[in-house]
Amino acid sequence: MPRPISAVIHTAALSRNLARIRRATPRSKVWAVVKANAYGHGIDRAYGALRTADGFALLDLAEAEKVRALGWVGPILLLEGCFAPEDLALCERLNLWHVVHCREQIDWLAVHRGSRTHRVFLKMNTGMNRVGFAPEAYASAWARLNALPQVGEITHMTHFACADEAGGVNPALARFARGVGDLPGERTLANSAAVLMHGADPRVAADWVRPGIALYGSSPTGLAPDAAHWGLQAAMSLRSELIDIQHIAAGESVGYGARFTASRPMRIGVVACGYADGYPRVAPNGTPIVVDGVRTQLVGRVSMDMITVDLEPVFAAGGQPMIGSPVLLWGQDAQAELSIDEVAAAAGTLGYELMCALAARVPVRVE
């Protein structure tokens, strides 16, 4: 028998989340952001549900090749642009659009001799302070690009640092407007948080939006109630089973380092899941988990291949957990739901990280 842990990708949820984005910004075209192998979901698994988007946005050239191999003939955007001059030839072969965020990328285009013009997205730094041209340098960068015969259409682009805060987009919008001025071209500004919290503002929605985490059913704020409020549905579930049950006395401890000590006699469930599967090692006592449809909690330190859980709430609810009983780590099963954001918050991180950390050894199926 194979080890009982598995992940499930819910394609219907992906489709519904994409539709939710379209309702929030009905006049904008939508990039489906599938970087990091579709946030851990798998590009090949997510593609069918997301191909009604207007384009795919990603980072990796190999992933761009995969999207083309899946049959996509529409726009693909490289969100960080080219990493070396030779990447420009692959952009031409695959007909990729690409971001330009620094002087060196313009230099590469200026000396490139290719077979077609390039659709570029000129990125402005409006406060994120990672990549992009400062507002006061933006117009000159645009002018230099616009003068190159290698360059066709130029789209204006920025990324919000504080879109998950009320009014958090306003300083960036002001800087963007000042930098772009009356330059022609389409615009793209909005990530998931901006779409969901500020998408009614036409300056934010602009011509293209770039949802990432929202497509996969997790909240950009990291708060589970927000995901529910926005009508997002989990696109990934992580499930396992009990592989043993231990009876411990009051005063006995559980796991490495004896981080949990029982205050009363307890029944402890052992689950086939650990940090080698992508479950966060730092998850503390009390991290929520569902056994046989009943919500309970993690006890003891997460190890490589196993975690331990308190079974007393399951018995108290009338359940009879046994070896083989189903365990929901996050997502949904036939009996319950558990938000990935809630699990991530308990571990001091975000749903993004848990999705992307799903280990290759975990079998994945699509439903």
Side-chain angles (χ1 to χ4, degrees):
M1 288 287 292
R3 189 162 170 263
I5 190 170
S6 65
V8 180
I9 306 304
H10 308 284
T11 56
L14 289 168
S15 296
R16 285 192 289 266
N17 294 336
L18 176 57
R20 175 67 183 87
I21 295 296
R22 287 205 183 276
R23 289 197 300 273
T25 53
R27 295 178 179 82
S28 303
K29 291 170 283 188
V30 178
W31 291 109
V33 179
V34 294
K35 62 181 180 176
N37 198 23
Y39 287 52
H41 293 65
I43 287 176
D44 53 339
R45 303 181 195 107
Y47 173 75
L50 297 179
R51 64 184 175 184
T52 56
D54 300 290
F56 286 90
L58 39 72
L59 299 183
D60 192 299
L61 286 165
E63 291 182 340
E65 289 185 294
K66 179 180 287 189
V67 173
R68 286 287 185 234
L70 287 167
W72 180 253
V73 296
I76 297 177
L77 176 64
L78 294 178
L79 287 166
E80 292 180 5
C82 296
F83 298 106
E86 53 267 28
D87 293 345
L88 291 167
L90 188 58
C91 286
E92 292 178 7
R93 180 169 67 83
L94 296 176
N95 190 22
L96 306 180
W97 302 357
H98 52 99
V99 169
V100 169
H101 60 73
C102 63
R103 176 178 53 82
E104 288 77 7
Q105 289 174 326
I106 302 179
D107 293 341
W108 300 341
L109 276 164
V111 298
H112 179 71
R113 297 295 178 266
S115 59
R116 64 198 310 173
T117 59
H118 289 246
R119 172 77 179 266
V120 300
F121 283 58
L122 184 61
K123 191 163 189 178
M124 186 189 304
N125 174 13
T126 56
M128 192 73 164
N129 288 320
R130 295 191 307 195
V131 296
F133 293 90
E136 57 269 21
Y138 187 83
S140 61
W142 182 91
R144 187 180 174 209
L145 272 176
N146 193 52
L148 295 178
Q150 297 91 334
V151 174
E153 188 173 345
I154 302 172
T155 298
H156 306 290
M157 180 180 187
T158 194
H159 190 75
F160 293 117
C162 300
D164 57 347
E165 300 174 7
V169 299
N170 293 332
L173 282 173
R175 295 185 189 108
F176 188 72
R178 184 172 73 250
V180 173
D182 59 359
L183 296 174
E186 291 188 331
R187 304 180 180 201
T188 178
L189 299 85
N191 55 6
S192 290
V195 167
L196 294 169
M197 298 185 70
H198 312 282
D201 186 336
R203 299 173 301 165
V204 173
D207 299 288
W208 290 85
V209 295
R210 308 187 307 273
I213 193 68
L215 292 175
Y216 306 100
S218 181
S219 169
T221 67
L223 301 175
D226 287 346
H229 170 73
W230 288 317
L232 303 176
Q233 298 187 2
M236 176 193 288
S237 296
L238 184 62
R239 302 170 181 168
S240 190
E241 295 177 2
L242 294 182
I243 60 171
D244 202 355
I245 296 176
Q246 296 291 324
H247 293 71
I248 65 173
E252 288 193 288
S253 61
V254 178
Y256 287 117
R259 294 299 178 91
F260 175 83
T261 300
S263 61
R264 65 191 192 284
M266 292 181 65
R267 286 159 288 192
I268 300 294
V270 183
V271 182
C273 178
Y275 59 76
D277 301 298
Y279 196 84
R281 183 181 180 274
V282 296
N285 294 328
T287 298
I289 193 166
V290 176
V291 177
D292 218 1
V294 179
R295 184 185 178 99
T296 183
Q297 61 182 359
L298 182 76
V299 294
R301 181 176 281 171
V302 174
S303 57
M304 181 179 288
D305 309 304
M306 290 178 280
I307 58 176
T308 43
V309 301
D310 179 4
L311 293 181
E312 294 306 317
V314 188
F315 283 105
Q320 293 295 320
M322 62 188 70
I323 292 175
S325 289
V327 177
L328 179 64
L329 288 309
W330 64 69
Q332 57 184 293
D333 62 16
Q335 298 173 290
E337 295 184 9
L338 177 60
S339 169
I340 193 172
D341 295 317
E342 191 174 356
V343 178
T349 186
L350 295 171
Y352 300 72
E353 184 176 4
L354 300 191
M355 292 176 184
C356 294
L358 184 70
R361 77 175 189 172
V362 177
V364 181
R365 62 185 177 86
V366 177
E367 65 176 34

